[in-house]
Amino acid sequence: MDFDFALLLVVLTAVAGVIWLIDSLALAPARKRRAQALEEMTALSQEERNARARHALQEPIPVEYARSFFPVLLVILLFRSFVAEPFKIPSGSMMPTLLVGDFILVNKFAYGFRLPVLNTKILSVGEPERGDVFVFRYPENPKEDYIKRVIGLPGDEITYRNKTLFVNGTEVAETALGPYAGPIEPGRRMDGAQLKQENLGGVQHRILEMPQVWVGHEGTWKVPEGHYFAMGDNRDNSADSRFWGFVPEANLVGRAFLIWMNFDGGVDFSRIGTIIR
């Protein structure tokens, strides 16, 4: 079952806010009136009147929790929805840029402000640029988040053939860096993996290729308006636009910009604070 944390956060914030509002408008004034009436009961001693008044002013436990948690939940909701959201990398499709176990932050306003849960854009700020590492809702299952690199913009023609990438008929420049010697993806053989530097419209980043592996998905794609063509940096181990098509603009979540933690059986301190390019 897919767990929608954004929806849960919205519901909890709304429930806490409604409870606090109802208490502020109706229940709290009623408690004050009861306390005032008790303080005016001259048949009781002053000490007893004060004790009963204090008891009458006590907030119900749900109201106390709502008043305490609502501001915290609201701040988390606003920050997560409009500023930055954390994600964990579950697979090696973006190696060597991102590794299994990386915890990243995603800029939520880079591509416009969107309402939480509904994902409806309410303010346009910017658009994805070629070379961005971006998070989006998987077109075939919008409840699942994917992370890839922006290869094609609306109107572009993308060709991938013989492990060579072309954008609008121009071959994307690559520089061989030698055998890959970094961390491997758990459960996968990476013997023979080659590391390359790719220049994607001025964005320099590294990719992985497996010379002995043939992915089998080659061709030419014309990117429709309002859509993007996405590929993983681990070119021979990435389910991306070559397989399932284009990313609609409505599915955009944000641009990945920082690795704030790496934990995969242990903490890799060398990756903390790494800027994602």
Side-chain angles (χ1 to χ4, degrees):
M1 180 181 293
D2 294 305
F3 178 69
D4 195 333
F5 181 76
L7 178 59
L8 176 63
L9 188 57
V10 168
V11 170
L12 289 176
T13 304
V15 169
V18 168
I19 292 174
W20 192 13
L21 181 63
I22 292 174
D23 182 73
S24 299
L25 296 179
L27 303 182
R31 290 197 299 272
K32 290 179 180 179
R33 288 193 296 270
R34 288 197 299 272
Q36 185 176 0
L38 288 169
E39 289 177 348
E40 294 173 355
M41 295 178 64
T42 56
L44 302 174
S45 66
Q46 185 63 50
E47 183 178 352
E48 189 172 356
R49 283 184 300 204
N50 292 340
R52 291 191 180 189
R54 284 195 300 270
H55 180 73
L57 287 171
Q58 285 183 345
E59 294 178 336
I61 291 179
V63 173
E64 184 178 347
Y65 277 111
R67 182 172 57 82
S68 300
F69 286 110
F70 175 71
V72 177
L73 291 170
L74 182 62
V75 169
I76 294 174
L77 175 63
L78 293 176
F79 184 85
R80 186 181 182 276
S81 300
F82 302 114
V83 181
E85 182 177 356
F87 287 88
K88 183 178 184 293
I89 303 302
S91 74
S93 70
M94 280 298 292
M95 293 175 65
T97 305
L98 299 173
L99 304 179
V100 174
D102 279 344
F103 290 80
I104 66 171
L105 285 178
V106 172
N107 182 331
K108 294 299 293 286
F109 58 85
Y111 306 142
F113 291 98
R114 297 174 185 270
L115 294 176
V117 181
L118 299 177
N119 208 45
T120 303
K121 184 187 288 189
I122 56 176
L123 180 63
S124 182
V125 176
E127 302 294 338
E129 299 180 1
R130 199 184 328 278
D132 283 0
V133 177
F134 70 150
V135 173
F136 54 91
R137 292 180 295 128
Y138 179 36
E140 295 187 357
N141 180 12
K143 293 183 178 180
E144 186 175 354
D145 293 314
Y146 266 32
I147 183 166
K148 304 292 179 186
R149 190 176 295 274
V150 179
I151 302 297
L153 305 177
D156 282 346
E157 182 180 87
I158 305 299
T159 297
Y160 189 74
R161 185 173 293 111
N162 296 325
K163 298 186 185 295
T164 302
L165 178 64
F166 298 83
V167 177
N168 296 322
T170 301
E171 182 178 343
V172 175
E174 291 182 352
T175 303
L177 300 178
Y180 174 69
I184 65 173
E185 182 179 3
R188 287 188 179 272
R189 293 180 58 86
M190 299 187 65
D191 301 337
Q194 296 293 309
L195 190 62
K196 293 185 176 182
Q197 183 87 2
E198 186 175 77
N199 186 344
L200 188 60
V203 177
Q204 300 276 351
H205 64 100
R206 297 178 302 164
I207 63 172
L208 277 181
E209 288 184 356
M210 301 288 289
Q212 72 275 27
V213 174
W214 181 64
V215 175
H217 271 66
E218 299 182 332
T220 297
W221 299 266
K222 182 72 173 180
V223 185
E225 289 300 319
H227 292 74
Y228 298 89
F229 192 91
M231 291 178 68
D233 289 349
N234 192 350
R235 291 292 162 79
D236 296 314
N237 182 28
S238 173
D240 49 40
S241 290
R242 293 171 291 176
F243 296 83
W244 41 254
F246 307 103
V247 178
E249 191 277 338
N251 286 43
L252 299 180
V253 173
R255 178 174 57 83
F257 69 94
L258 180 72
I259 299 171
W260 62 273
M261 174 60 72
N262 175 281
F263 185 85
D264 186 31
V267 178
D268 184 348
F269 292 96
S270 67
R271 295 190 63 76
I272 297 176
T274 299
I275 303 298
I276 300 172
R277 293 184 176 88

